[in-house]
Amino acid sequence: MRVTLLGAGHIGQTIARLLATSGDYQLTVVDRQSEPLALLDGLPLATRVADTADDAVLLALLRGQDAVINALPYYLATRVATQAREAGCHYFDLTEDVAATRAIKALAEGANTAFMPQCGLAPGFIGIVAHHLAQSFQELHELKMRVGALPAFPTNALKYNLTWSVDGLINEYCHPCEAIRDGRPTEVLALEGLEHFSLDGTEYEAFNTSGGLGTLCETWAGRVRTLDYKSVRYPGHRALMKLLLEELLLKHDQGTLKDIMRRAIPSTMQDVVLVFVTASGMRGGALVQEVFARKIFAERSPAHPTSAIQITTAAGICAAVDLFREGRLPQRGFVRQEQVPLPEFLANRFGSAYQQSRQVESIG
């Protein structure tokens, strides 16, 4: 399968290594800079330096390809998807942006190729899990998703290190969040809905963030009383982000905030990803609850240390592409994450990264 991967950044590096070494993909990796591409030397793949924000360049790159994997910033998603449709190649991405996903869904109408956005962790794997749990109930009452990509050893006041895209992080803190309340789709404010809980003796907080639900609100509208998604952080993080975004008005000057965070907050490869989904409702005449919980840790291989967010995000999109290549997913039109069967995802050679992680045994 001929695949072009756009973006050789933090996540793109891991996607490239997984697909290139699998033996089933003829991979070309494209980036605007040569430095990240040089890190892929020695792998069985091709590289190209190109302006990935130029429509004509994108179209030329995608012609003759079977599929494109978009690992560029979220604000380029619609542009790449538009050129993918023009080039006649299948489209996969990692976007958490709600507006971009709606635009891509419109592009997919009547297309002869598949469009599958939101293939990462959240949205992505979290939606696959939630949909799987939800289907086991005769009457679904609540479906709650909590995900955190956290530093293993926080030391600053924010109790946070940069583990993924700063653009994506700020985007999810600044836009309205989809949810279902009393069976009806609605929007709630980012950074609101604060709650506290503990797992394995560690205290966490969770609050509304945008984009994590994918298309679940549309899929489950009218069939569940309450559905929501929240990001997990260490206690105190949300209060400081509200100070920066709302009281200091940096919500309206996101460029400055991103510069500050890149300059002042170190990145880390020593992270942990927490996935926590609960579903409750009626089954066999009784009110029951099902829980899916995982903690995925970074791999500290001397040759290629890989962060937990790299592992989980790359596993999500590589498994989606792999299942598509095998004919296990729809081959045209808009493909939702909840169309991926959880057992098939976990049995996949890439998706098994979640299966091999340590399961959380206790929930407090």
Side-chain angles (χ1 to χ4, degrees):
M1 185 177 185
R2 295 164 298 179
V3 175
T4 290
L5 168 62
L6 299 177
H10 192 59
I11 305 301
Q13 292 280 325
T14 307
I15 296 171
R17 293 184 185 280
L18 289 175
L19 293 183
T21 57
S22 71
D24 290 314
Y25 296 92
Q26 184 180 328
L27 186 65
T28 301
V29 184
V30 182
D31 199 274
R32 300 182 73 173
Q33 300 179 349
S34 60
E35 290 82 359
L37 295 174
L39 300 176
L40 300 173
D41 285 350
L43 289 173
L45 52 79
T47 60
R48 286 192 60 181
V49 177
D51 183 359
T52 50
D54 184 290
D55 289 345
V57 171
L58 284 172
L59 182 58
L61 288 169
L62 301 185
R63 286 200 186 280
Q65 295 294 289
D66 296 313
V68 57
I69 297 175
N70 178 13
L72 298 172
Y74 74 90
Y75 50 80
L76 293 174
T78 306
R79 169 169 285 176
V80 177
T82 300
Q83 299 310 314
R85 170 152 183 164
E86 179 67 21
C89 72
H90 305 293
Y91 175 87
F92 301 82
D93 77 23
L94 300 166
T95 189
E96 76 289 339
D97 189 68
V98 174
T101 300
R102 289 172 179 166
I104 292 167
K105 184 179 179 184
L107 282 170
E109 292 182 7
N112 291 322
T113 52
F115 289 78
M116 189 173 185
Q118 305 181 317
C119 294
L121 167 61
F125 178 71
I126 192 71
I128 297 170
V129 172
H131 186 70
H132 176 80
L133 293 186
Q135 291 181 95
S136 68
F137 291 88
Q138 294 160 332
E139 180 182 318
L140 184 62
H141 292 177
E142 288 188 339
L143 188 57
K144 297 186 175 184
M145 286 144 279
R146 308 293 183 259
V147 173
L150 301 165
F153 308 105
T155 58
N156 55 29
L158 276 174
K159 298 179 182 176
Y160 194 77
N161 290 92
L162 299 181
T163 62
W164 63 295
S165 164
V166 176
D167 292 314
L169 179 71
I170 300 304
N171 185 57
E172 72 175 17
Y173 284 175
C174 291
H175 288 82
C177 314
E178 295 178 309
I180 291 178
R181 296 286 185 270
D182 297 322
R184 296 188 297 272
T186 187
E187 286 189 345
V188 295
L189 293 176
L191 300 179
E192 299 301 326
L194 180 66
E195 62 188 36
H196 292 87
F197 65 98
S198 64
L199 286 174
D200 288 353
T202 301
E203 296 296 321
Y204 301 99
E205 66 181 22
F207 49 86
N208 301 333
T209 54
S210 178
L213 284 178
T215 54
L216 281 174
C217 279
E218 182 178 341
T219 299
W220 284 95
R223 296 195 289 156
V224 60
R225 295 178 187 172
T226 301
L227 182 152
D228 60 28
Y229 170 88
K230 297 182 180 183
S231 285
V232 177
R233 300 289 185 258
Y234 295 115
H237 176 87
R238 173 254 192 186
L240 290 175
M241 290 307 304
K242 280 181 70 71
L243 170 68
L244 291 168
L245 289 165
E246 297 178 8
E247 296 186 32
L248 298 183
L249 303 180
L250 289 176
K251 181 177 181 178
H252 307 290
D253 187 5
Q254 294 181 26
T256 296
L257 179 57
K258 292 172 188 177
D259 288 341
I260 291 171
M261 295 187 75
R262 291 189 181 106
R263 184 169 62 248
I265 301 177
S267 62
T268 184
M269 297 291 286
Q270 296 173 295
D271 64 339
V272 57
V273 164
L274 186 153
V275 177
F276 181 41
V277 183
T278 62
S280 62
M282 303 301 295
R283 184 190 299 153
L287 178 63
V288 296
Q289 182 184 65
E290 293 284 348
V291 176
F292 181 100
R294 292 285 192 276
K295 279 185 178 178
I296 299 93
F297 296 91
E299 294 180 358
R300 300 189 178 109
S301 162
H304 297 291
T306 311
S307 68
I309 192 64
Q310 283 178 298
I311 293 168
T312 51
T313 306
I317 198 162
C318 289
V321 174
D322 217 31
L323 291 170
F324 177 84
R325 181 186 61 83
E326 294 172 351
R328 298 175 181 270
L329 296 177
Q331 299 293 294
R332 64 175 60 190
F334 187 77
V335 184
R336 304 169 187 265
Q337 293 302 311
E338 49 267 39
Q339 290 176 266
V340 180
L342 179 62
E344 291 191 20
F345 181 98
L346 294 176
N348 179 266
R349 54 183 165 176
F350 303 123
S352 63
Y354 286 93
Q355 190 78 296
Q356 296 165 2
S357 64
R358 181 174 67 83
Q359 185 166 355
V360 179
E361 299 295 343
S362 60
I363 299 174

